Amino acid sequence: MGFKGLFLALVAGLLFSAYDVTNKLTTVNASQILVFRLTLMMLISTPVIQCWTAAKFVPDKEHWGLIGIRAIISTVGMALHIYSLQHMSYVTDVSGIVNSYPVFTALLACIILKEPCGILEVLTTVLAAVGILLITHPAFLFADVADNPPATAILAAIGACIATALAVTMVRKLKHVHFLTLTFWNSVVGLPVMIIVTTIVQGWSLPPDWFQWIILFIISISGVFGRLMFTIAVQMESAGPVSIVLTLGALGPLFLWQYLVLHTIPPWISIGGVFLTGISAILIGMKVYLLDKYTDEANPKSRCTAIVLWFFNITGQRQERILIHQETDNVTPIETVPVYQQPETK
């Protein structure tokens, strides 16, 4: 395994942690931040697509509807994420909830893409649910814990997590569309929507001083380039290790930034919740890595490996792929057919 992709994933995690912290420092409302970020996203993606022959501005017609829906869901998710960051006391709490999206992605893959759902999916869902419960620590369950986050911010963070999971699931359905094309249309669709929302709901106001302009610029740069580096990392390495490194890179430094920059320390119950949500996301990443590594092996080399593959619900998917490979390899040309052409892989 190479380390370039993992390094990019680590940098992406650090950028996302900077994105979370700087959103806590700004006085600009969430919709205006998103307008600025989407504008920067469009300005960056347009010339790159113009110079990159693999990407194109106009996707195939059969992908238009799904790209538009994905852009709207992604925009809503980003807006909810920023809102929760500005209204919850601790950025680690928000990041812990939002970064549990791999668990929800696995569940949506079971429901929408009809992928197998086993003991791991159930376990990670329970861990993520308990972690979110500890992070939010509602007053009727944890009366002795002070500083309960507002319900609207909690719902916004959970909504951002679900929106991210939906967007990732749709990207898997749009795997033939270049990521720069998706980025470009995300800004094209999301920007007018957020301009309308800002005009009607919150109104426009310029940052009051140069410090707020710098913070706004850092938010946009860290968000756009963090997403870009994460996408490149997934293309270079297996998605499993990349998601693990990204989770560690995003959650780990946040506790340090929380103390050094924001001068606050989360309560122990929130730290425990963040730990559980992080573990659930890491377990899903381990499954993706093991599925990629052992899918071509007919028999595990050891009993321990077989138990691990069973726990991660990989055995059935691995056997299914092996059968497909064997059927393909055993096909021989028939005498009446002069040339055998292997089906193209889509």
Side-chain angles (χ1 to χ4, degrees), residues 71-301:
I72 293 175
I73 291 177
S74 179
T75 302
V76 171
M78 288 188 288
L80 292 175
H81 187 191
I82 297 173
Y83 178 86
S84 60
L85 284 170
Q86 293 182 343
H87 291 83
M88 290 183 71
S89 300
Y90 307 105
V91 293
T92 49
D93 292 355
V94 179
S95 183
I97 295 175
V98 175
N99 279 288
S100 63
Y101 76 87
V103 178
F104 292 91
T105 303
L107 290 178
L108 290 172
C110 296
I111 298 172
I112 298 176
L113 303 180
K114 306 301 181 182
E115 294 185 359
C117 184
I119 185 173
L120 178 70
E121 285 74 18
V122 176
L123 175 62
T124 53
T125 302
V126 172
L127 285 177
V130 173
I132 292 175
L133 184 66
L134 292 178
I135 290 172
T136 56
H137 47 270
F140 66 90
L141 292 177
F142 304 93
D144 57 336
V145 179
D147 195 14
N148 300 98
T152 54
I154 295 173
L155 293 176
I158 296 175
C161 177
I162 296 174
T164 303
L166 283 170
V168 171
T169 305
M170 290 182 180
V171 167
R172 295 176 64 178
K173 296 285 287 186
L174 295 168
K175 58 184 178 181
H176 298 299
V177 181
H178 199 276
F179 74 90
L180 283 174
T181 304
L182 294 176
T183 301
F184 173 75
W185 282 101
N186 192 358
S187 60
V188 169
V189 175
L191 185 57
V193 172
M194 294 313 303
I195 290 176
I196 294 173
V197 170
T198 303
T199 304
I200 296 177
V201 179
Q202 293 186 318
W204 296 90
S205 60
L206 293 175
D209 51 34
W210 62 269
F211 177 75
Q212 290 297 322
W213 277 108
I214 293 175
I215 293 297
L216 186 60
F217 183 74
I218 293 175
I219 291 173
S220 302
I221 288 292
S222 58
V224 172
F225 281 94
R227 180 58 55 186
L228 180 63
M229 289 189 177
F230 171 67
T231 305
I232 297 174
V234 171
Q235 290 184 338
M236 295 179 65
E237 303 292 344
S238 173
V242 168
S243 64
I244 294 174
V245 173
L246 179 72
T247 300
L248 295 176
L251 289 178
L254 272 180
F255 289 98
L256 182 61
W257 307 145
Q258 182 91 47
Y259 176 73
L260 295 179
V261 179
L262 303 178
H263 308 292
T264 55
I265 301 177
W268 65 267
I269 194 169
S270 294
I271 297 175
V274 173
F275 176 77
L276 289 180
T277 55
I279 289 296
S280 64
I282 290 173
L283 285 174
I284 292 295
M286 289 177 64
K287 176 183 178 178
V288 176
Y289 167 69
L290 292 174
L291 182 60
D292 291 340
K293 182 177 181 180
Y294 290 101
T295 187
D296 295 329
E297 294 186 12
N299 297 304
K301 296 181 179 180

Side-chain angles (χ1 to χ4, degrees), residues 298-319:
N299 297 304
K301 296 181 179 180
S302 65
R303 183 176 179 84
C304 181
T305 303
I307 295 174
V308 172
L309 295 181
W310 171 83
F311 174 77
F312 282 97
N313 192 30
I314 292 174
T315 306
Q317 300 176 53
R318 186 170 54 84
Q319 291 176 348

